[in-house]
Amino acid sequence: MTQTRTLVSPHTLGTRRGKAVYWTVLTTVVVTFTFVFVFPLYWMVTGAMKSPEQLAEVPPSLWPGDVDLGAYREAWRQLDLGLYMRNTFVYAFGAWLFTLAVDVSAAYALSRLRPLFGRAVLGMMLATLMIPPMVILLPAYLTVKDLPLLGANLLNTPWAIWLPAAANAFNIFLLKRFFDSIPTELIDAAEVDGAAPARILWSIVLPVSRPIIGVVSIFTIVNVWRDFVWPLLVLPDGEKKTISVAISSLAVQVPQNVLIGSLVIASLPTIVVFFIFQRQIMAGLTAGGLKG
Amino acid sequence: MLTLRTPARPAAPPRRHRKATRGRRAVRRNLTAYGFLCGALICFAFFSWYPIVREILLSFQQTNFVGDTRWVGLENFRTVLADPVFWDAWKNTAIFTVLALVIGYAVPFTIAIVLNELRHARGYLRFVVYLPVMLPPAVVVLLFKWFYDPGSGLFNQVLGLAGLPGLQWLDSTGTALLSLVLVSTWMNLGSGTLIYLAALQTIPGELYEAAELDGAGLFRRIRHITIPQTRLILLVMLLLQVIATMQVFIEPYLLTGGGPENATVTVVYLMYQYAFNFTNFGGGGALGLMLMVVLMLFSAVYLRVSRDDPR
């Protein structure tokens, strides 16, 4: 065991009593966690396989009688989930592109080109982190409804999701901090060779910044997928809705098992992302959380 | 480079020349920099900075989308203050925040302490505890709505198996708010747990060793080493949690619609109602501004605290 020592000493753990306590605690924790965090999901996945009658049964059956995937098919068809999934995908993908393009170049400018008033600009961006998003919900909605100066109405257009997503001070802060840590020699050398800033960003800064860009990407995409209130307000049209909003607004019209099937389908993408990128997601969480 | 070549030239004119080039280069560098920044400046101006200013204006205006915007002074504030639901909303928000703190603050920290001691199944436990955080909140809330069903819902079934009477969960004024806190805690607990876990791992083992040699038992070690060593992160998370839970909206919106008898109307939910059900954006704006002032106090303390970070 190469672990550093924690609350309980390895010696105590080594004793007969220590071992007994350790294994009891471990078993309890594993069982409790499985019951509290996994069982609800199991209940959801199997709930959609039960018939409406079986769902109402008391006491409930742990295992669906005959596995019937009909509710999933119905959910996909009746609630038109394909459309809403495609919508959400378009919003998430566009938000990702905009966020990267806007935030990476801003962070690069602030970190490397250091313009006049750069610190003030960064300060004003970071100050927005002090304003909780819900308290400017109404003015933000009114802004999107009637864009000042341009007079455009962005309601029911993807721009209402894409552009606000890019105004993310936390991403800029994370990226800038990472760019600051890139050795100056690397960039100076390229400058002597006469490389323009855009070229330096593209062929030197970006390749070495892959880890932080990965973290920013995952969080941007997952956040758009999980968001509820903002798309509820700015995409009121039936065909423009995100999958979360669509399911919650159609919830009352469909049989229980079909609704549950749609919940499973809506959560699949983020679960798959979590399975693939769990290392990056957890690293990003602690990087963000400690200086959140 | 230009500066390296200049000494070889005659003394007087190049100096002026050099200054001019340097000035021009500085201008060019700034132009390039602001070129890179312009996307962010536009996005922030439209979707962050302007809405903050507009929030303040909005609360002193009356906006109906047909006619012109009128200045109405403090009328919006008078309207919402006279609304009997106003005080319910603040009370519910405060209770929600306190309950969410009691459960949602102590539980993740305890879980993190236990997880930090375990040598097996670490990957599994960490994965599982963070799983709900990844699900779309709307899905979690609708899932719990089904669990809370007094007739066939999972929770009452489990209570029934244990021989206990079922609860009304969302339908009784006594339990509705608590039911919202439970959902909210279940889906947010994972991030706190992992952040505490990361903080616990930075505590030097020698401290525990020394304390043990001095004869400190398990709970005294937690009290005198674990908690003081993670004090800063605990404080930061406390403030963040207050700020986050005071903005609760999706739970009352999807689970109870503010009922029964306004028992789950929160400030943001009332703000939403003012704007989108009563089309009174001014009233909503006034509520938003009040919440903004309260939350900014917490934010200011948070900034103060996290700046004291010795690292």
Side-chain angles (χ1 to χ4, degrees):
Chain A
M1 252 180 267
T2 50
Q3 284 239 297
T4 50
R5 122 138 240 191
T6 48
L7 191 55
V8 181
S9 75
H11 172 72
T12 319
L13 272 182
T15 61
R16 174 111 60 79
R17 190 164 156 269
K19 270 186 192 148
V21 173
Y22 174 80
W23 286 104
T24 321
V25 172
L26 181 73
T27 320
T28 321
V29 170
V30 170
V31 171
T32 317
F33 271 43
T34 308
F35 189 74
V36 173
F37 297 111
V38 183
F39 185 70
L41 300 181
Y42 167 81
W43 202 246
M44 171 168 78
V45 172
T46 53
M49 297 174 185
K50 295 173 180 171
S51 61
E53 301 79 54
Q54 207 188 351
L55 273 178
E57 244 170 52
V58 182
S61 44
L62 208 56
W63 182 248
D66 32 18
V67 175
D68 177 16
L69 298 178
Y72 287 115
R73 258 197 309 277
E74 277 303 290
W76 188 264
R77 205 180 52 78
Q78 270 187 37
L79 294 174
D80 212 354
L81 290 187
L83 169 72
Y84 298 119
M85 236 177 187
R86 204 162 53 235
N87 286 350
T88 321
F89 180 79
V90 168
Y91 301 140
F93 184 74
W96 173 68
L97 279 185
F98 270 95
T99 304
L100 277 198
V102 167
D103 293 359
V104 164
S105 47
Y108 174 69
L110 293 171
S111 165
R112 289 294 164 185
L113 306 174
R114 301 180 179 254
L116 221 55
F117 308 118
R119 288 177 67 89
V121 169
L122 181 66
M124 274 175 71
M125 287 177 177
L126 291 179
T128 62
L129 291 176
M130 265 188 76
I131 312 288
M134 291 303 250
V135 304
I136 57 162
L137 193 65
L138 300 184
Y141 167 82
L142 292 176
T143 307
V144 166
K145 191 175 154 66
D146 182 13
L147 211 59
L149 306 176
L150 307 174
N153 181 351
L154 301 183
L155 289 188
N156 285 318
T157 68
W159 301 103
I161 303 284
W162 293 346
L163 295 178
N168 187 323
F170 191 66
N171 285 345
I172 293 180
F173 174 71
L174 275 186
L175 289 164
K176 180 188 175 288
R177 209 171 52 169
F178 195 90
F179 294 168
D180 285 344
S181 71
I182 298 173
T184 336
E185 296 84 46
L186 218 60
I187 287 155
D188 286 347
E191 243 165 25
V192 170
D193 289 346
R199 166 121 202 136
I200 294 176
L201 171 62
W202 185 257
S203 30
I204 297 176
V205 174
L206 282 188
V208 298
S209 309
R210 254 190 227 136
I212 194 73
I213 289 176
V215 165
V216 169
S217 303
I218 296 167
F219 274 92
T220 306
I221 292 173
V222 169
N223 280 345
V224 173
W225 201 279
R226 296 176 69 241
D227 201 4
F228 179 78
V229 188
W230 185 245
L232 171 77
L233 298 188
V234 298
L235 302 163
D237 257 21
E239 286 114 65
K240 302 288 167 61
K241 286 186 167 132
T242 64
I243 192 156
S244 285
V245 177
I247 288 177
S248 60
S249 61
L250 299 170
V252 281
Q253 304 167 13
V254 292
Q256 187 99 65
N257 58 344
V258 174
L259 171 66
I260 300 164
S262 70
L263 297 183
V264 177
I265 294 173
S267 40
L268 270 180
T270 47
I271 299 225
V272 170
V273 166
F274 188 38
F275 261 105
I276 302 173
F277 297 109
Q278 43 167 318
R279 192 179 292 268
Q280 287 86 338
I281 289 173
M282 291 187 184
L285 175 82
T286 37
L290 291 171
K291 263 275 176 184
Chain B
M1 303 281 295
L2 273 173
T3 40
L4 292 178
R5 259 186 312 186
T6 35
R9 293 183 177 182
R15 184 160 290 164
R16 231 182 299 133
H17 175 78
R18 196 166 67 190
K19 223 185 214 165
T21 2
R22 203 184 278 159
R24 221 179 300 148
R25 268 176 55 197
V27 168
R28 215 179 46 213
R29 204 176 43 112
N30 269 301
L31 281 180
T32 325
Y34 276 97
F36 277 98
L37 269 172
C38 68
L41 289 176
I42 291 171
C43 289
F44 271 92
F46 278 125
F47 303 106
S48 262
W49 296 329
Y50 173 69
I52 293 171
V53 177
R54 178 111 186 239
E55 166 64 58
I56 299 166
L57 302 180
L58 183 65
S59 52
F60 298 102
Q61 289 173 336
Q62 206 148 66
T63 315
N64 60 12
F65 297 111
V66 203
D68 281 337
T69 303
R70 273 193 311 124
W71 288 93
V72 292
L74 292 174
E75 202 187 296
N76 291 325
F77 290 91
R78 269 194 290 272
T79 314
V80 292
L81 278 168
D83 189 338
V85 186
F86 176 83
W87 297 108
D88 283 335
W90 280 99
K91 197 185 77 197
N92 292 336
T93 307
I95 296 175
F96 184 92
T97 306
V98 170
L99 281 176
L101 276 186
V102 171
I103 309 174
Y105 190 61
V107 172
F109 190 61
T110 317
I111 293 179
I113 289 181
V114 175
L115 284 193
N116 200 31
E117 296 309 314
L118 298 179
R119 302 281 173 271
H120 302 83
R122 299 170 72 105
Y124 170 74
L125 293 173
R126 246 184 260 190
F127 179 81
V128 160
V129 84
Y130 198 66
L131 196 54
V133 183
M134 291 299 292
L135 298 171
V139 167
V140 174
V141 169
L142 291 173
L143 181 66
F144 269 68
K145 190 174 191 175
W146 172 45
F147 290 165
Y148 281 139
D149 189 288
S152 60
L154 178 65
F155 290 163
N156 275 355
Q157 306 262 14
V158 171
L159 286 179
L161 286 179
L164 297 166
L167 290 174
Q168 284 300 305
W169 299 107
L170 300 169
D171 302 325
S172 124
T173 49
T175 51
L177 204 54
L178 186 71
S179 305
L180 299 195
V181 175
L182 280 184
V183 192
S184 162
T185 308
W186 189 80
M187 65 178 167
N188 295 318
L189 186 111
S191 44
T193 304
L194 294 191
I195 289 169
Y196 295 136
L197 200 54
L200 289 178
Q201 278 159 2
T202 63
I203 301 178
E206 300 85 63
L207 290 179
Y208 288 121
E209 220 156 73
E212 198 171 13
L213 287 177
D214 289 344
L218 188 66
F219 289 100
R220 294 199 41 197
R221 265 175 273 157
I222 292 178
R223 225 192 98 203
H224 295 292
I225 295 171
T226 313
I227 293 177
Q229 285 288 313
T230 47
R231 191 190 61 90
L232 188 78
I233 201 82
L234 283 172
L235 200 54
V236 163
M237 292 296 285
L238 178 78
L239 292 163
L240 285 180
Q241 176 133 3
V242 169
I243 295 171
T245 47
M246 283 199 80
Q247 301 179 67
V248 54
F249 170 79
I250 176 169
E251 292 89 345
Y253 177 81
L254 284 178
L255 284 178
T256 56
E261 293 167 39
N262 296 331
T264 54
V265 175
T266 60
V267 176
V268 175
Y269 184 73
L270 189 62
M271 181 183 93
Y272 172 88
Q273 276 194 315
Y274 262 92
F276 296 99
N277 296 353
F278 321 149
T279 45
N280 180 351
F281 272 83
L287 276 169
L289 188 63
M290 292 180 206
L291 190 63
M292 180 167 8
V293 171
V294 172
L295 293 184
M296 280 188 59
L297 289 178
F298 285 105
S299 294
V301 178
Y302 161 67
L303 277 188
R304 212 26 231 285
V305 167
S306 55
R307 207 181 301 142
D308 289 345
D309 191 338
R311 272 172 301 146

